[in-house]
Every structure is written in C-alpha cells, then in structure tokens.
C-alpha cells in the first residue's frame, strides 16, 4: 500500500510530499509526475515515482493498488477539460479499489466559474462509490504574496473585491490538512471546508504591506471588467483572467470567508497568518 500524490511536482504537491516524508517511510509514498526529471530530488530520497498524464488516460492503468490512499490534486489546465482529466484518475482508483481518494476542491460557498469544475468532479467522485474526502481548499496567501512586484512598483493593491473579505491560508497549511487526512484514520466520506482562521479585506492587506515595507500602499478597488482588462494586459490569457476576476466578485459577496475552523483542527495548530506570509515574501 502506498500514499499516492498526483501533481506531485506542483506547488501544492511538493508541500504534500515533503510533509508526508516527515510522517511515513519514503518507500510508502508514490509521486505521480509528468516529467520524471522534475522529481529527481524526490526519487533520490526514496520516493517512488509514477509517470502519468491526466490527458493520457492509459498512463494511469495499473498505477494504483488496492488499499492505496490517493490525493487527487486538481489540474490547472482550464482549457483541457479538467473534469475529464480528474475522471481519468477517479476511474483508475475505482478499478484498483483504493482505500481513500481525497480531492482538492473549492469552498462549498463559492459560485464563481472557478468552482464549476470542482463541483462536477465532486459529483463524479461521489457517484464512483469510492471512500472519499473532499478537501475544499480556500484561497491561498501565495495567490497574492507571489505577485508583489507590481503592487510594490505601483504602490497599490488592485482588486475587484470591494470591501469583501477572504479567509486565505498558506499552501503549506492546506498540504498539512491533506497529509492529516492521508495518514490519519476516520476520514472516509468526509467534507472539509478549509480556510484561514481570520478573514481579511484588501484594505487591510494594503495596510499590512504598508506597515512591513514602510511605504504607502493603497487599495484600489476596480470593477470586474476593469480587472479582467488589467490582467489580460499583463499577459494573462483571457479565459483565465475572466476566472480570476470572477473570484474577486465572489469575494465581494463573502463567498471566500470560511468560518468552519476545519483547517486549524485538522492540522492541530493555527493556520499561518497573512502577515507572516507577507514577511516571508518580502524577505524572498
């Protein structure tokens, strides 16, 4: 039996594998990757590698074994039919008789277009009859802190979220929740609404940036269509820009406020505060 992580060389997947290595022997971890070379460091530590591609269904034939616990990390190819990609993994897991399939989804309150593929994938997973765990991850600190250059250059946080608040958390926090589910007991047929402990507004985010940089950073709220134009002007593909701007509209409606407390309960500690993520990003 293995703990199997798909998308293992992605941002979230790497965090998951690193944290699994602290809990279970490397030989019991299988990292599913597209490019073996990108996972050479994991292989060197004893992690088993499986080369497979969501877009090539046959690469998942025989990849899973009965009793495996699988983490299906949602794909990021919005233009390639993510539900179909995820279904490939779910059907292979069903055929093998895995013990658990955990899926990184989106908050149940989110109505933005971003959530559509997640809801459809959840339906496929529930219909499969597999023991499941829905990890409904909220927004990530890194969605903002990894894109600080234009904010610092222009002295402004630009968003289409109005006065809305968001319960973001660090990637490492969401990874820790996945590891808790994969290595713990009693998580079959569960749904977790995951988010940070404290929701924040973009005005508060700008104020935190000001405090830590010693410079005046303002919040500049804009309409959704204006943000879409800004993003496409910066080189973001139009469909993705529309999806991201749509998330801001959902934030304004309060759809990314997560008050369940599930994340800190699962990981056994408080979630990483936004201020801490800002500090790390500014140092980096």
């Amino acid at each position: 039996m293995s703990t199997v992580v798909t998308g293992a060389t992605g941002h979230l997947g790497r965090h998951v594998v690193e944290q699994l290595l602290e809990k279970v022997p490397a030989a019991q971890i299988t990292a599913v990757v597209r490019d073996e070379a990108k996972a050479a460091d994991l292989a060197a530590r004893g992690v088993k590698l499986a080369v497979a591609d969501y877009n090539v269904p046959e690469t998942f034939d025989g990849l899973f074994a009965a009793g495996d616990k699988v983490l299906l990390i949602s794909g990021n190819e919005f233009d390639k039919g993510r539900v179909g990609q995820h279904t490939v993994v779910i059907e292979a897991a069903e055929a093998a008789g895995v013990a658990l399939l955990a899926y990184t989804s989106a908050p149940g309150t989110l109505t933005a277009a971003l959530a559509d593929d997640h809801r459809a994938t959840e339906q496929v997973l529930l219909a499969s009859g597999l023991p499941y765990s829905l990890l409904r991850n909220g927004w990530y600190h890194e969605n903002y802190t990894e894109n600080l250059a234009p904010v610092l250059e222009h002295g402004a946080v630009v968003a289409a979220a109005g006065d809305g608040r968001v319960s973001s958390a660090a990637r490492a926090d969401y990874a820790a929740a996945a590891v808790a589910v994969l290595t713990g007991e009693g998580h079959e047929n569960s749904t977790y609404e995951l988010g940070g402990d404290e929701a924040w507004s973009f005005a508060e985010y700008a104020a935190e940036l000001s405090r830590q940089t010693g410079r005046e950073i303002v919040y500049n709220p804009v309409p959704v269509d204006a943000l879409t134009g800004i993003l496409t002007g910066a080189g973001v593909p139009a469909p993705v820009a529309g999806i991201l701007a749509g998330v801001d509209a959902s934030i304004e409606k309060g759809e990314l406020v997560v008050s369940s407390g599930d994340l800190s309960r699962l990981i056994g500690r408080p979630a990483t505060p936004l201020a801490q993520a800002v500090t790390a990003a500014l140092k980096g």
Side-chain angles (χ1 to χ4, degrees), residues 158-180:
V158 179
D163 296 325
R165 305 180 77 80
V166 54
S167 305
S168 65
R171 272 199 200 104
D173 295 338
Y174 293 115
V179 168

Side-chain angles (χ1 to χ4, degrees), residues 25-212:
Q28 292 178 17
I29 303 169
T30 299
V32 182
V33 300
R34 286 185 185 177
D35 183 351
E36 212 166 350
K38 288 185 179 175
D41 60 315
L42 299 177
R45 295 168 68 181
V47 174
K48 292 187 287 189
L49 301 186
V51 180
D53 187 328
Y54 293 158
N55 300 306
V56 187
E58 58 269 24
T59 58
F60 281 90
D61 291 348
L63 193 154
F64 304 120
D68 284 350
K69 289 187 176 181
V70 179
L71 176 64
L72 169 55
I73 294 181
S74 56
N76 57 9
E77 295 177 318
F78 296 99
D79 58 337
K80 290 192 177 175
R82 293 198 300 168
V83 180
Q85 291 179 330
H86 300 156
T87 300
V88 165
V89 180
I90 293 167
E91 289 179 347
E94 184 183 359
V98 304
L100 180 74
L101 192 146
Y103 170 64
T104 60
S105 191
T109 49
L110 187 65
T111 63
L114 178 72
D116 294 348
D117 289 349
H118 291 301
R119 296 292 161 259
T121 299
E122 289 183 1
Q123 289 174 2
V124 173
L125 178 52
L126 267 59
S128 74
L130 281 169
Y132 67 86
S133 184
L134 302 180
L135 304 175
R136 289 179 167 169
N137 290 353
W139 222 219
Y140 293 44
H141 291 332
E142 289 86 350
N143 290 341
Y144 304 105
T145 60
E146 287 183 352
N147 297 289
L148 282 180
V151 173
L152 300 177
E153 180 185 346
H154 299 290
V157 172
V158 179
D163 296 325
R165 305 180 77 80
V166 54
S167 305
S168 65
R171 272 199 200 104
D173 295 338
Y174 293 115
V179 168
V181 166
L182 292 168
T183 60
E185 299 296 330
H187 297 289
E188 295 81 4
N189 306 328
S190 59
T191 300
Y192 296 107
E193 298 287 348
L194 304 176
D197 298 327
E198 292 190 30
W200 50 269
S201 70
F202 284 87
E204 289 168 348
Y205 175 49
E208 184 61 33
L209 286 169
S210 299
R211 186 182 72 79
Q212 293 202 30

